[in-house]
Amino acid sequence: HPFGLCSSTFPIMEAQGSEASEVLAEMREVMARKPGPVGAVDDEVPPLPTPLRMRRSLSPVSPSSRSGAADSGSRAGASACKAKEVTQLEVSAPIRPSKMVGLVAGIVLLAVAVWLKPQHGGYKPSTAEEGFGHGVSNRTVATVEQEPEAKPKLASLVAESLACPGRRGDILDVLAGAPYEFGHDLENDQDAFYRYPRLAASVAKGKADEAGGAAENELKKAVLGLAATGAGWAPGLRLRVLEALHAPCEAAETCGGAHPLALEVDEDFTSPLAKSHWLHQGLLDFGALFGFPHLKARASLFRSRPPTVVLSSSPASPAIAASRDCLAVRGSNTSLALRMTGGVATVRQLVIEQPPRWAALRPKSLPRHFSVYGTPAEAFNVGGSAPYTELLGNFEYLPARSAVQAFLLPRPAQVKGLRLLFEGPGWGENYTCIYRVKAYEGSGSVCSGHRVAAAAPRSD
């Protein structure tokens, strides 16, 4: 403003009523005295003691700031006037009626909009859609219903399996054979090494006293720990336990009455029978000759049974294990040769059956790596040459698995005979003890007693 007054000052003076005339008189007096620079008005002309100037002296803005604003030109004067307007409005300026009306109207419009939104807010997603978007910001967490459990929980599965004869037998075999396959680093710690075999033997004997109940509870805990976490053993042992827990409960439910093929021993291609050192055998024979029953029994324990024992129809029971009713062959690359009594037959799988692991007197004498050779149906035995020339597969018998194991040939083979060649030192002993061997034409499940033969993978 050319007079150093702010434009908003005029409405304020009008609002003051009788003071307006004094302000106008003051302005005329200033213009009449000195029409010079605006910035010099307040410095050279002494201010008149009007009521308005008296109120200005009481304002929070100091006279020096007003004087500096006038000296700095129109831009600084405008800033000072703006500060003066704010102070005066805060002190005495009432709200204009027009602004009051606009404020009230805005509040009314906002209230109407809030009231109309729930009724006319457009699309509202369903409960199912809220969890998947569609532009809605407030989403609800989707509720997923739990499906009914298809399989029993692990603890229930363990209890159920231990009450089933077939599964229980497989589980005890896995525990009793575990250290011989997975516990090589425990051989110096006899307690840890034989813990599971002793536990399996304890519960297998089925004592009904307090000790038997404690052993059964310990068995459940051991199986549950192995199935859940592996209990610090190699991962392969946990898989074996889980496999046993899901094995068939009874042989009658799985096996369809498959019968083994008729076989006979070919002694010309079967390894010599194993026996203890000649001096040891001589002493035992000498005692047996003079009628000492104990020495006679021991002499029979340290001498292999004839090869025909492997074709016996009786299962390899704990009693069979106690009498060592097996074919024992010593060393590596030992063999057992079998001929088809009917001439030619189709062979699809072999079964090796050993006694229950907990009943074995020498678990390290179990067979291990072996190969199967066959005599082709069209082959002729000329000049005493070896007839078993066709390789049918390579396999491995495992301690931490069911004592009855089935070995499926890669393809059906029409053969006149079979030869099992056992390689290497086995599982620790310098001889191998073989209890039962059977051959089957079909590839389905086969059984021995209440046990279902566990299908073993090929090692090649």
Side-chain angles (χ1 to χ4, degrees):
H1 193 277
F3 298 100
L5 299 176
C6 302
S7 59
S8 59
T9 305
F10 292 102
I12 297 175
M13 289 189 297
E14 292 173 359
Q16 297 299 327
S18 60
E19 296 177 358
S21 57
E22 297 180 5
V23 173
L24 293 176
E26 177 184 346
M27 291 171 58
R28 293 191 187 99
E29 181 180 354
V30 170
M31 293 176 63
R33 288 184 179 183
K34 188 175 182 180
V38 178
V41 172
D42 291 336
D43 296 333
E44 298 179 2
V45 180
L48 297 177
T50 61
L52 182 59
R53 288 196 175 116
M54 294 175 63
R55 279 195 301 272
R56 287 178 183 172
S57 63
L58 298 177
S59 172
V61 181
S62 63
S64 60
S65 62
R66 288 196 300 266
S67 172
D71 293 337
S72 60
S74 60
R75 182 175 299 177
S79 300
C81 289
K82 184 175 182 180
K84 190 184 301 183
E85 288 177 15
V86 172
T87 303
Q88 292 175 351
L89 286 174
E90 289 177 352
V91 174
S92 59
I95 300 176
R96 292 186 182 182
S98 60
K99 291 185 179 180
M100 180 65 72
V101 172
L103 180 61
V104 173
I107 294 174
V108 172
L109 290 176
L110 181 60
V112 172
V114 171
W115 179 77
L116 291 176
K117 185 176 181 180
Q119 303 180 17
H120 306 284
Y123 170 76
K124 182 179 180 181
S126 63
T127 304
E129 293 172 337
E130 285 181 353
F132 298 96
H134 299 289
V136 181
S137 58
N138 295 327
R139 301 178 184 177
T140 58
V141 178
T143 303
V144 180
E145 291 188 3
Q146 248 183 337
E147 295 182 1
E149 195 175 35
K151 298 180 180 179
K153 293 182 179 180
L154 191 57
S156 301
L157 178 61
V158 170
E160 175 189 330
S161 299
L162 292 178
C164 168
R167 292 182 189 172
R168 184 182 181 89
D170 289 352
I171 292 171
L172 295 182
D173 283 343
V174 172
L175 292 182
Y180 302 100
E181 184 177 348
F182 298 105
H184 302 294
D185 55 340
L186 299 176
E187 292 183 352
N188 295 327
D189 187 351
Q190 297 296 306
D191 292 337
F193 187 88
Y194 289 108
R195 179 196 169 198
Y196 286 156
R198 289 169 180 168
L199 176 61
S202 176
V203 298
K205 294 175 181 178
K207 294 183 178 179
D209 55 5
E210 183 178 352
E216 188 69 23
N217 290 332
E218 185 180 354
L219 174 65
K220 292 180 181 179
K221 293 179 181 179
V223 175
L224 184 59
L226 287 170
T229 64
W233 287 75
L237 181 58
R238 178 173 180 264
L239 296 178
R240 300 284 177 81
V241 172
L242 292 174
E243 176 185 339
L245 290 174
H246 292 88
C249 183
E250 293 288 350
E253 300 174 357
T254 304
C255 300
H259 298 286
L261 296 171
L263 302 171
E264 62 182 6
V265 176
D266 185 356
E267 294 187 3
D268 292 338
F269 296 93
T270 298
S271 296
L273 306 182
K275 57 183 179 180
S276 62
H277 192 268
W278 65 269
L279 180 59
H280 182 261
Q281 284 290 323
L283 292 175
L284 293 176
D285 291 341
F286 181 78
L289 181 63
F290 284 92
F292 294 100
H294 177 68
L295 294 179
K296 186 176 181 179
R298 284 184 61 82
S300 63
L301 288 177
F302 287 92
R303 186 179 293 117
S304 172
R305 298 294 184 271
T308 54
V309 73
V310 301
L311 301 178
S312 174
S313 59
S314 61
S317 63
I320 295 296
S323 62
R324 296 189 182 179
D325 195 15
C326 71
L327 169 65
V329 288
R330 189 181 299 278
S332 60
N333 296 326
T334 55
S335 64
L336 168 66
L338 305 169
R339 288 192 300 257
M340 305 295 168
T341 57
V344 178
T346 301
V347 180
R348 191 68 177 93
Q349 64 178 328
L350 293 175
V351 172
I352 294 181
E353 180 181 355
Q354 300 289 112
R357 295 285 183 270
W358 59 267
L361 298 179
R362 293 288 186 272
K364 292 183 179 181
S365 67
L366 291 170
R368 190 172 184 178
H369 296 290
F370 67 97
S371 302
V372 179
Y373 291 85
T375 302
E378 65 278 2
F380 296 94
N381 187 10
V382 180
S385 61
Y388 306 98
T389 58
E390 183 180 357
L391 178 62
L392 303 180
N394 300 311
F395 307 94
E396 183 179 16
Y397 185 92
L398 299 171
R401 181 168 267 152
S402 171
V404 187
Q405 297 182 25
F407 304 90
L408 188 67
L409 301 182
R411 61 185 182 279
Q414 282 193 337
V415 295
K416 295 180 180 180
L418 299 169
R419 185 185 183 191
L420 282 66
L421 181 63
F422 297 94
E423 307 164 0
W427 292 100
E429 294 287 357
N430 60 0
Y431 68 95
T432 301
C433 200
I434 307 163
Y435 281 83
R436 301 291 184 266
V437 176
K438 299 175 184 178
Y440 291 85
E441 185 176 3
S443 59
S445 298
V446 294
C447 303
S448 178
H450 63 269
R451 305 288 297 275
V452 180
R458 297 196 311 271
S459 60
D460 56 344

